[in-house]
Amino acid sequence: MTIERTLFSPEHLAFRDSLRRFMAKEIAPFHEEWEDQGYVAREVWNKAGENGFLCMSLPEEYGGAGADLLYSVIQFEELWAAGQTGIGWGLHSEIVAPYILRYGTPEQKSNYLPRLASGEMIGAIAMSEPSAGSDLQAVRSSAVKQSDGSFVLNGSKTFITNGWHADLVIVVAKTDPAAGAKGTSLFLVERGMPGFEKGKRLKKLGLKAQDTSELFFNDVRLSADQLLGGAAMEGKGFICLMEQLPWERLQIAISAVAASQAAIEQTVAYVKERHVFGQPVAAFQNTRYTLAELQTEVQVAQVFVDKCIELLMVEKLDTATASMAKYWCSDLQCKVMDECVQLFGGYGYIWEYPVTRAYADARVQRIYGGTNEIMKEVITRAMGLGAPR
Ligand SMILES: Cc1cc2nc3c(=O)[nH]c(=O)nc-3n(C[C@H](O)[C@H](O)[C@H](O)COP(=O)(O)OP(=O)(O)OC[C@H]3O[C@@H](n4cnc5c(N)ncnc54)[C@H](O)[C@@H]3O)c2cc1C
């Protein structure tokens, strides 16, 4: 890209190099095998923990590195640029762990955070249900309070990233169904708790090496300590979910831009090599203009995303702006991948080509983290256009 990025220090750049070396050794050689089996090897989580790549932004007292969020930005960028999308590090390190850090009791933090940082535990967050995705207020899972203060959890979740590997799941459930959003709470549910079962791993269009599962909760008995944040946070789960949205949505935009730039670079290299009608594909005006347009849009997206990152770092990124970034960059990613596949011709449809995988991986970015239609709803509300009936 032509506009120099100014976010990163020499330490960040050195980190980018060390992450690339780790990925080349510990991820790249196994990615295809993981795609075939539908999940990454458990060991890569432990190795990532040993090498300090998990939960880097956690304070040192909880096993993190106390690093700024730019280190996590680099992780999202590198994994998506390389198409190494099997590892749900982002969700584990920058969604699950921050919930516990921000809202957990001191005991919950010291119990879980060091184990998430070391890779001993893999984290997941279970909001979506078979009949509640965009409309999270429609969640049916319930946690009924007992006379001794414990809860009994029932319900089922679907589409849960890291669900199959997960040792610790933050589960969204209603503690007071009559109170709507105000009756929603978050629970810390551990693998092995009686009544907690994992369903099948879902076969997907893309992100084939990433495990995405159904989870079932049948009369799971949870002590009062398993309520995230303790008794004071009962009924406040929805507020927690809303507060974390800007960073979660920006993560998708960051990865979308990085993946798009990588696909453009792969395509530039390919069209220079591939000859048709006695000339390189790069010589056709259609190829040149298409790539020029894509590169322009990705450059614009990068500048916008970098500004959003800057705002996030000073806690000034609002949900509507993050939603703009999520929707616009993921739409752009899908457009870039489609055009790049086209320029590869038939090879663009063959799985061994990274651009083909990038095309498949891109599609979900418009769906998860809140669909792009929901992003537009958020933006219209911030514009004072109100909510639909
Ligand atoms: C690979 C993958 C990983 C995921 N990981 C997780 C995870 O880790 N944890 C988790 O909890 N969930 C996860 N999800 C679920 C994801 O967040 C939901 O799929 C998403 O929020 C959409 O919900 P839904 O599938 O129920 O679609 P629906 O809500 O049924 O939407 C169907 C369509 O209706 C549109 N629509 C809905 N409401 C409106 C509206 N008000 N205005 C206009 N259009 C609307 C939607 O945009 C969409 O086009 C994951 C999903 C996938 C595919």
Side-chain angles (χ1 to χ4, degrees), residues 56-115:
M56 292 174 300
S57 60
L58 283 181
E60 287 178 29
E61 62 177 308
Y62 297 124
D68 64 49
L69 286 180
L70 292 172
Y71 289 88
S72 300
V73 168
I74 290 170
Q75 281 201 353
F76 286 110
E77 290 182 348
E78 289 301 317
L79 289 167
W80 275 80
Q84 292 170 9
T85 47
I87 293 163
W89 285 355
L91 182 122
H92 170 94
S93 300
E94 288 304 338
I95 296 182
V96 174
Y99 269 96
I100 299 173
L101 180 68
R102 183 137 191 189
Y103 306 111
T105 62
E107 295 72 31
Q108 288 167 344
K109 290 188 214 183
S110 55
N111 183 16
Y112 293 120
L113 292 177
R115 291 196 276 164

Side-chain angles (χ1 to χ4, degrees), residues 91 125 127-128 133-134 159-161 364 367-368 371 373-374:
L91 182 122
I125 183 156
M127 305 182 231
S128 304
S134 302
F159 302 137
I160 307 307
T161 303
V364 76
I367 297 171
Y368 60 16
T371 66
E373 293 71 36
I374 295 298

Side-chain angles (χ1 to χ4, degrees), residues 216-268:
F216 300 105
F217 306 94
N218 301 309
D219 287 331
V220 180
R221 297 208 155 259
L222 299 172
S223 70
D225 297 339
Q226 301 304 121
L227 175 63
L228 180 65
M233 291 301 285
E234 186 176 334
K236 297 201 175 123
F238 221 79
I239 301 170
C240 306
L241 296 175
M242 295 300 118
E243 281 177 354
Q244 298 302 311
L245 288 178
W247 176 213
E248 293 169 14
R249 291 187 175 156
L250 188 58
Q251 293 169 14
I252 295 173
I254 290 165
S255 52
V257 175
S260 300
Q261 183 60 36
I264 290 174
E265 286 165 18
Q266 287 158 22
T267 309
V268 167

Side-chain angles (χ1 to χ4, degrees), residues 287-365:
T287 306
R288 304 166 72 79
Y289 287 8
T290 300
L291 286 168
E293 286 164 16
L294 297 179
Q295 184 60 85
T296 304
E297 288 185 67
V298 172
Q299 174 68 85
V300 171
Q302 184 71 78
V303 172
F304 180 53
V305 164
D306 282 358
K307 182 68 194 175
C308 289
I309 296 170
E310 249 178 68
L311 290 171
L312 179 87
M313 304 283 290
V314 292
E315 295 186 11
K316 285 195 175 157
L317 181 68
D318 62 81
T319 304
T321 310
S323 302
M324 290 176 190
K326 191 271 177 185
Y327 120 67
W328 200 74
C329 294
S330 60
D331 271 6
L332 175 61
Q333 180 184 6
C334 288
K335 174 177 158 182
V336 168
M337 297 316 169
D338 188 53
E339 297 281 14
C340 290
V341 161
Q342 190 68 18
L343 289 171
F344 270 76
Y347 295 101
Y349 201 69
I350 303 302
W351 196 250
E352 73 189 61
Y353 281 77
V355 76
T356 313
R357 291 173 151 111
Y359 173 88
D361 287 352
R363 189 61 184 84
V364 76
Q365 298 257 88

Side-chain angles (χ1 to χ4, degrees), residues 91 95-96 123-136 157-163 170 172 202 204-207 210-213 363-377 381 388-389:
L91 182 122
I95 296 182
V96 174
I125 183 156
M127 305 182 231
S128 304
E129 300 185 355
S131 55
S134 302
D135 182 8
L136 277 183
K157 299 286 180 181
T158 192
F159 302 137
I160 307 307
T161 303
N162 294 347
I170 298 178
V172 178
L202 302 166
K204 306 190 293 297
L205 171 68
L207 302 182
Q210 189 169 108
D211 71 275
T212 309
S213 295
R363 189 61 184 84
V364 76
Q365 298 257 88
R366 290 168 58 196
I367 297 171
Y368 60 16
T371 66
N372 285 6
E373 293 71 36
I374 295 298
M375 298 303 104
K376 291 175 196 175
E377 281 302 326
R381 277 171 220 180
R389 265 183 278 167

